[in-house]
Amino acid sequence: MTKDQIFEFFRRLAEDDPAPETELEYGNAYQLVVAVALSAQATDVGVNKATRALFAAVETPQQMLELGEDGLKEHIKTIGLFNSKARNVIALSQLLVDEYGGEVPDTREDLVRLPGVGRKTANVVLNCWFGQETFAVDTHIFRVGNRTGLAKGKTPEQVEAKLEKRVPQPFRLHAHHWLILHGRYVCKARTPECWRCKLVDLCSYRKKVLEKPKGR
């Protein structure tokens, strides 16, 4: 894509949804860290169902420690990999209490020190809570970046680096939300719904599905 095409790509996404937000539900920075950590290899819908009652009872790392690993497992047992995720959440809560006064840090370097928090999770927290211009490359963004030609790369890190370089202002703050939502609802993994995509003329994907399959 050319610079002009990239600007138009995001202009259309912004026109359609001026203020996109994560679909995860949370009330503070700590709950956001927990929700994103739980969302690995799980859907936002599934995480939200599990965390509604949890977050009604737990708002701080100290409260999570008081709930304990077994108590946490009861809340999140419907989420995949819940045993290891529970261990990580308790461990990251302990680290936040011990070294950060119970507060969520606002740098990537500190966030990735937390058990179960990788670069993607850190980028989500930095963007959604701290308003930093980060690009959290999940499977949707990886697919959309490569498929459309916006940001091609063989790894999430390569796609992130391309997005850092290519996404223009004033779109940088919301870019990763637009790309996630576009990948989740339009540029789907199995069959991209090109027939209803507003970006189809800008996209370099060679196998566009321009007619809606029968029965869909």
Side-chain angles (χ1 to χ4, degrees):
M1 282 191 196
T2 65
K3 284 186 177 181
D4 287 346
Q5 286 176 320
I6 291 172
F7 189 93
E8 178 62 13
F9 183 98
F10 284 106
R11 189 201 66 77
R12 293 182 193 178
L13 290 172
E15 183 178 59
D16 198 45
D17 186 4
E21 296 181 349
T22 177
E23 294 184 324
L24 289 171
E25 297 172 3
Y26 61 94
N28 59 32
Y30 171 68
Q31 290 181 343
L32 176 60
V33 171
V34 172
V36 181
L38 294 176
S39 72
Q41 296 176 293
T43 66
D44 288 358
V45 171
V47 172
N48 289 338
K49 284 182 180 178
T51 58
R52 282 181 192 130
L54 173 66
F55 288 165
V58 174
E59 296 182 1
T60 67
Q62 184 59 50
Q63 289 174 339
M64 187 67 78
L65 295 176
E66 291 165 4
L67 177 66
E69 188 174 325
D70 289 339
L72 175 57
K73 285 180 182 178
E74 280 301 307
H75 281 281
I76 67 170
K77 60 188 177 182
T78 56
I79 300 174
L81 307 175
F82 73 93
N83 283 312
S84 60
K85 289 178 180 179
R87 282 195 300 274
N88 283 334
V89 168
I90 294 299
L92 74 83
S93 300
Q94 189 70 62
L95 189 61
L96 288 173
V97 168
D98 291 346
E99 297 192 24
Y100 296 96
E103 298 296 322
V104 174
D106 63 356
T107 69
R108 185 183 290 115
E109 292 72 24
D110 283 325
L111 285 166
V112 296
R113 290 187 63 218
L114 303 175
V117 174
R119 185 179 181 89
K120 185 193 80 171
T121 297
N123 281 343
V124 172
V125 174
L126 292 172
N127 181 270
C128 295
W129 188 261
F130 294 107
Q132 296 184 26
E133 294 172 355
T134 60
F135 303 91
V137 179
D138 68 350
T139 55
H140 297 301
I141 293 183
F142 186 79
R143 179 174 66 255
V144 172
N146 277 287
R147 219 184 235 171
T148 63
L150 171 68
K152 290 189 174 183
K154 293 183 179 179
T155 65
E157 291 76 19
Q158 288 177 358
V159 171
E160 181 184 343
K162 288 274 183 70
L163 290 171
E164 282 280 5
K165 196 181 286 189
R166 305 190 80 186
V167 178
Q169 293 292 9
F171 308 116
R172 292 177 66 83
L173 181 61
H174 293 315
H176 101 264
H177 281 126
W178 284 317
L179 294 174
I180 287 172
L181 294 171
H182 188 65
R184 186 173 289 164
Y185 297 113
V186 181
C187 196
K188 298 177 181 178
R190 289 188 179 179
T191 306
E193 298 183 359
C194 310
W195 67 86
R196 66 181 190 89
C197 178
K198 296 182 178 180
L199 311 170
V200 67
D201 58 311
L202 303 171
C203 173
S204 63
Y205 187 50
R206 292 181 179 180
K207 300 178 182 178
K208 292 187 177 80
V209 184
L210 296 174
E211 291 187 14
K212 184 176 180 180
K214 291 181 179 179
R216 295 192 62 151

